Amino acid sequence: MMPRRRAVTHRPHAPGAAPEAARVRRKNSGSSRLRRYLSLHIQAWWGSLGRIARAPLASFMTIAVIGIALALPGTFLTLLANMQKITAGWEGNMTELSVFLSKDLSNDAAAALTTELESWAEVESVRHITPEQGLAEFQRTLGGDDWLTLLGSNPLPGVLVVRPTVEQAAPERVQSLAERLRDLPEVESVQVDMEWLQRLHAIMALIERGVWILAGLLALAVLLIVGNTIRLTLESRRDEIIVLKLLGATDAFVRRPYLYAGAWYGIFGGVVAVALVSAVLWGLSKPVAQLAALYHSDIVLGWLDWVTAAGLLLGAVVLGYGGARLTVARHLRRIEPD
Amino acid sequence: MSRLVNGPGRFVTPSVMIQFSAVSKLYPGGHEALQGLSFAIERGEMVFLTGHSGAGKSTLLKLIAHIERASSGQVVVNERNLARLHRRQIPHYRRSLGMIFQDYRLLAERTVFDNIALPLIIGGYDEREIGRRVRAALDKVGLLSKEKYYPVELSGGEQQRVGIARAVVHKPALLLADEPTGNLDPDLSREIMSLFQAFNRVGVTVLIATHDVGLIASLPYRVLTLHNGRLSSGEGGAS
């Protein structure tokens, strides 16, 4: 603070000395009020940390409960995000639209259509299966005699197997792509096997909803835990609160350290939660890798991403502060000198 | 709004520090702690308040400190009508007082320095000013060497001197003491009294509730005697 004041008074090209001095005085009175205000807050901030440290066991229990309560939804959300990433891969790889062409369409026209469809933004790739290729495939699968002589002529239409891009693989997008393909004059019909995809999405949505409901309940639990801890602290500091009120402390002054204590519980609880989620994911990563290897897949369990981690921390701080605020508002009024 | 307040039938002049006008205090349950009390204490006066236990001494101090509210009548302190004090104004009002308690009411986990600094921290003084004022207050009560001690490490007399230092550190115009020597032996009690006298000499109004009649008999100050919630006859207004 001192160097700053000196910097102001010793500014090289200061105008008149007197107005400068007046301005400095004004500035100091304003900034010193701000400084006092800030220093009150900083004192309460560190003071409340000191108090938490002085009751390590009780504080640890509260922090651990907050950490576990937040780690549960944190873990589920991370696993869910992993699942969504994996199934998004499936959708991209496994969703295909079978476009059956009109029987009178020549192979050349079909090839031209293939090229056209490949230029569509929502299309990843198009594979053209001519009636001849289709029949050959048919024959290979079923084996046996020459089916063509049996049937007289090739009954199979040309087929374009269209694979949408990964971004277009969501069920409703695929559906609209199918519509668009169906409207083409060359196309007889379009088949999408969407049912499994829709079911998968419905299950995922259900799980996600469930996780958020669980998160809401656990957030409520954190509010109550912090509230209860702060309430006990308030009771144990009854005498001190009364003395402060007798000495003319405002409600805001008395309240401040307890609100900050709640925020500290939140911060530490959030850190514990992030650590627990990371530990759980680490514990699961090996079995997941083994399972993936059995399926010849290269699926790797993703770590807690920093957005989720920051969200956990922020949520924890908000809940800690909020829990303290709710309790302090109710209980502090009841503690008055008598 | 004028800070002068019209009492029943007369005008309170700023030279009066405490004005009670027909003040009664009825506790829930029907106990009438004070009955129709009227008196005034001038600015710069030092007054003792005596009476048997239960006579209403503590209640009277609580009314002045606005810990309790009068059931009827009017209490005016330092030109403020306490009945009109809004809840939010109470902290600021209390900062104009210095309060001393029989049981000292020091915060056990804070040092002597931090205890005395409390009123200044509450009042938002800056750090250098706090250090200066706390040491001045410690000097006045003769405990300059003990600023880093905790209350439990001090004797009763020393703790009460810390209590007094805390009550005067923010230079209040009015000192209220509730049985300040109640837990102290006669020598220490006289020492504490002489501290109050010293503050009174520099213009602080002092009101001390005590049942120690022997201690105050030799001192040249006005004595208000309460008996069953009333002032004993012959004692009333200051003028």
Side-chain angles (χ1 to χ4, degrees):
Chain A
M1 293 156 216
M2 276 308 288
R4 200 162 67 93
R5 198 178 303 167
R6 219 175 294 133
V8 172
T9 40
H10 287 241
R11 204 156 48 192
H13 299 297
E20 176 71 0
R23 193 155 60 238
V24 169
R25 222 176 6 254
R26 254 200 320 277
K27 200 178 162 103
N28 279 346
S29 75
S31 75
S32 79
R33 203 176 311 135
L34 179 67
R35 232 181 7 243
R36 280 205 299 266
Y37 179 77
L38 286 178
S39 93
L40 275 177
H41 277 265
I42 291 164
Q43 272 171 25
W45 180 239
W46 290 116
S48 57
L49 181 62
R51 287 175 181 191
I52 288 174
R54 251 172 274 147
L57 189 66
S59 304
F60 172 77
M61 296 294 269
T62 302
I63 289 164
V65 172
I66 295 171
I68 292 166
L70 292 175
L72 276 171
T75 305
F76 288 146
L77 285 175
T78 309
L79 291 178
L80 196 67
N82 269 295
M83 255 169 85
Q84 279 163 342
K85 214 161 61 198
I86 291 164
T87 57
W90 290 349
E91 284 162 5
N93 290 329
M94 296 168 74
T95 305
E96 288 178 342
L97 295 92
S98 302
V99 179
F100 296 93
L101 304 171
S102 311
K103 285 211 66 179
D104 49 0
L105 199 70
S106 72
N107 280 351
D108 289 344
L113 185 61
T114 304
T115 321
E116 194 203 322
L117 290 187
E118 273 171 342
S119 69
W120 289 13
E122 58 264 60
V123 171
E124 175 73 32
S125 65
V126 182
R127 188 156 50 94
H128 179 203
I129 303 171
T130 60
E132 295 75 33
Q133 286 168 337
L135 188 67
E137 175 90 359
F138 189 68
Q139 228 161 18
R140 204 174 60 237
T141 317
L142 294 177
D145 300 320
D146 189 351
W147 285 85
L148 190 57
T149 41
L150 198 70
L151 292 168
S153 70
N154 187 350
L156 297 177
V159 177
L160 299 182
V161 179
V162 175
R163 180 185 289 177
T165 56
V166 174
E167 305 84 66
Q168 297 294 324
E172 57 289 348
R173 299 267 179 107
V174 173
Q175 209 62 262
S176 74
L177 177 60
E179 293 300 325
R180 203 174 152 199
L181 289 167
R182 214 165 270 138
D183 288 344
L184 294 172
E186 302 92 330
V187 172
E188 187 70 40
S189 69
V190 177
Q191 241 180 39
V192 200
D193 184 14
M194 295 275 303
E195 224 167 38
W196 72 274
L197 198 58
Q198 280 165 335
R199 280 183 195 152
L200 181 70
H201 271 260
I203 290 169
M204 299 276 277
L206 185 68
I207 293 174
E208 186 167 5
R209 177 65 63 89
V211 169
W212 280 113
I213 289 173
L214 183 74
L217 288 174
L218 289 167
L220 198 64
V222 169
L223 271 183
L224 295 176
I225 291 157
V226 173
N228 194 49
T229 306
I230 297 288
R231 186 179 60 79
L232 292 174
T233 316
L234 283 175
E235 283 306 319
S236 72
R237 299 193 160 267
R238 209 187 163 80
D239 291 344
E240 176 182 332
I241 291 166
I242 286 174
V243 168
L244 289 175
K245 287 195 172 183
L246 283 174
L247 294 179
T250 57
D251 285 350
F253 182 93
V254 178
R255 191 163 56 210
R256 208 169 287 138
Y258 301 98
L259 298 184
Y260 283 155
W264 277 118
Y265 284 133
I267 290 173
F268 288 128
V271 169
V272 169
V274 169
L276 282 175
V277 173
S278 303
V280 168
L281 292 176
W282 180 79
L284 290 178
S285 62
K286 217 167 181 182
V288 166
Q290 278 168 355
L291 188 68
L294 291 175
Y295 280 94
H296 304 290
S297 158
D298 53 355
I299 290 167
V300 180
L301 194 61
W303 289 103
L304 183 63
D305 64 302
W306 70 268
V307 177
T308 313
L312 268 180
L313 268 174
L314 189 71
V317 174
V318 168
L319 287 173
Y321 184 88
R325 178 134 210 140
L326 287 174
T327 315
V328 167
R330 263 185 310 127
H331 288 268
L332 217 50
R333 247 164 207 259
R334 290 220 293 267
I335 303 178
E336 283 287 341
D338 49 14
Chain B
M1 194 185 78
S2 167
R3 304 191 74 198
L4 300 179
V5 180
N6 281 313
R10 63 180 152 168
F11 201 65
V12 180
T13 62
S15 73
V16 174
M17 178 59 84
I18 300 173
Q19 173 79 58
F20 271 55
S21 309
V23 172
S24 295
K25 176 63 189 178
L26 190 71
Y27 280 109
H31 173 58
E32 196 164 25
L34 297 174
Q35 302 175 32
L37 215 56
S38 294
F39 67 90
I41 292 174
E42 298 280 332
R43 258 172 216 283
E45 235 192 320
M46 176 151 159
V47 174
F48 286 108
L49 182 66
T50 65
H52 59 88
S53 57
K57 302 190 295 286
S58 292
T59 303
L60 196 152
L61 289 183
K62 281 177 188 169
L63 290 181
I64 298 173
H66 208 262
I67 297 167
E68 300 277 2
R69 281 169 184 265
S71 310
S72 65
Q74 197 177 57
V75 180
V76 178
V77 180
N78 207 0
E79 296 156 52
R80 283 184 199 240
N81 183 344
L82 299 193
R84 293 206 202 127
L85 213 54
H86 189 272
R87 196 191 130 80
R88 278 203 308 274
Q89 296 172 309
I90 295 172
H92 294 94
Y93 166 69
R94 290 209 181 119
R95 288 178 206 173
S96 70
L97 311 175
M99 275 187 267
I100 292 140
F101 310 93
Q102 179 172 3
D103 53 359
Y104 325 131
R105 298 218 180 172
L106 304 177
L107 301 185
E109 64 178 41
R110 298 190 196 216
T111 61
V112 165
F113 183 98
D114 289 344
N115 264 285
I116 297 172
L118 268 181
L120 302 176
I121 293 170
I122 288 169
Y125 287 76
D126 71 48
E127 222 167 297
R128 252 181 314 160
E129 182 73 2
I130 289 174
R132 206 176 58 73
R133 288 211 187 193
V134 169
R135 295 205 172 85
L138 275 168
D139 191 27
K140 275 184 213 153
V141 299
L143 288 175
L144 208 45
S145 61
K146 307 229 164 159
E147 66 169 72
K148 293 206 168 66
Y149 284 56
Y150 285 87
V152 284
E153 300 170 309
L154 303 178
S155 71
E158 287 172 327
Q159 288 190 43
Q160 190 55 296
R161 283 191 276 159
V162 173
I164 293 171
R166 184 181 65 184
V168 300
V169 72
H170 56 302
K171 299 186 176 148
L174 173 61
L175 266 185
L176 300 174
D178 191 5
E179 301 282 1
T181 60
N183 294 342
L184 304 177
D185 65 40
D187 284 344
L188 284 174
S189 299
R190 268 192 295 279
E191 218 175 89
I192 296 294
M193 280 305 164
S194 65
L195 269 177
F196 285 126
Q197 287 174 275
F199 289 121
N200 178 240
R201 274 197 296 276
V202 296
V204 181
T205 310
V206 183
L207 177 60
I208 302 169
T210 178
H211 61 267
D212 192 349
V213 184
L215 179 67
I216 60 177
S218 58
L219 298 172
Y221 300 107
R222 187 152 68 98
V223 178
L224 295 172
T225 306
L226 278 172
H227 188 73
N228 288 335
R230 295 172 190 277
L231 282 176
S232 297
S233 55
E235 297 170 41
S239 40

